[in-house]
Amino acid sequence: RISAFLSGIGVTALLQSSNATALIVSSFAGQGMIRLSMALAIMLGANIGTTLVAQFLSLDLSWLMPVFIIFGVLIHYIYGQKSSLGKNVARIFLGLGFLFLGLDMIVHGADNFIDSPIITMMFERLNSDYVFAMILAALITWLFHSSLAFVLLILSLVSGGVIPTELGLVLVVGSNIGSGIAPMVMTSKMDISIFRVTFGNFVMRLVFGIVCVVFIDTILMYLGEMALLGD
């Protein structure tokens, strides 16, 4: 189980999508290649792998965007016409470059919300109802089909002072729950052995989210102490 857990972290860090990992693992479980317990261990690692990717992308990596795009264009120009390997490598670099470009646009696009009275008023109402805020974040993430993009958007809103840290943490918890809805819906009409993996993943996220909201004050206190120790 520990190996399955670690492999889930590694695969999701490479794919940058826990939803993709969920679909791959559930298909393996449906074919009888892995047991349900192993599949859930992989998904638990995948959930942690997503947070590591978010931590990595929260750094200032805008300089990587032009580097990847330039490398992708050069590799495609030099090797793309000669071999399929060169073409695929070029696609990887271009894909990573456009990924960083899109995430950078999401983060900096939130700067326009800082001076908006409508956005400020909306988040003030959410700040008084954590349960509704968590449900709303889950639904938005389900529509986005990407918790990573929504989490980075929340980080930019918190750093810009649009929303307080407490509300930002609740929204991240809700986004984590919402990220488990999409693969569960996709596999709802498939074989039961496939659906068990995505459903179990959603239940783990839901239980963890409820625990976080119940003990939100204690979590914030410990996070504050960790921040002071880091300073």
Side-chain angles (χ1 to χ4, degrees), residues 42-66:
I42 293 174
M43 288 313 307
L44 187 59
N47 297 337
I48 295 178
T50 303
T51 66
L52 296 179
V53 174
Q55 292 288 336
F56 176 72
L57 294 178
S58 64
L59 304 175
D60 186 10
L61 300 173
S62 57
W63 60 273
L64 281 175
M65 180 264 295

Side-chain angles (χ1 to χ4, degrees), residues 136-157:
L136 181 62
L139 293 176
I140 292 176
T141 303
W142 178 31
L143 295 175
F144 278 16
H145 278 59
S146 173
S147 61
L148 182 59
F150 189 58
V151 167
L152 291 178
L153 178 61
I154 294 171
L155 290 177
S156 61
L157 292 175

Side-chain angles (χ1 to χ4, degrees), residues 51-93:
T51 66
L52 296 179
V53 174
Q55 292 288 336
F56 176 72
L57 294 178
S58 64
L59 304 175
D60 186 10
L61 300 173
S62 57
W63 60 273
L64 281 175
M65 180 264 295
V67 172
F68 281 135
I69 293 179
I70 291 173
F71 267 102
V73 172
L74 290 177
I75 293 174
H76 186 273
Y77 179 76
I78 298 174
Y79 301 104
Q81 306 298 328
K82 300 179 181 179
S83 66
S84 59
L85 177 61
K87 183 183 295 184
N88 291 330
V89 171
R91 288 175 177 174
I92 292 173
F93 277 102

Side-chain angles (χ1 to χ4, degrees), residues 107-121 123 155-163:
V107 172
H108 288 88
D111 295 339
N112 299 322
F113 296 157
I114 296 177
D115 299 325
S116 174
I118 298 177
I119 297 296
T120 303
M121 181 180 65
F123 282 117
L155 290 177
S156 61
L157 292 175
V158 172
S159 62
V162 179
I163 60 177

Side-chain angles (χ1 to χ4, degrees), residues 1-25:
R1 294 181 180 180
I2 295 177
S3 299
F5 171 76
L6 294 176
S7 66
I9 295 178
V11 170
T12 305
L14 292 175
L15 294 178
Q16 300 185 8
S17 173
S18 59
N19 288 345
T21 304
L23 295 176
I24 293 173
V25 172

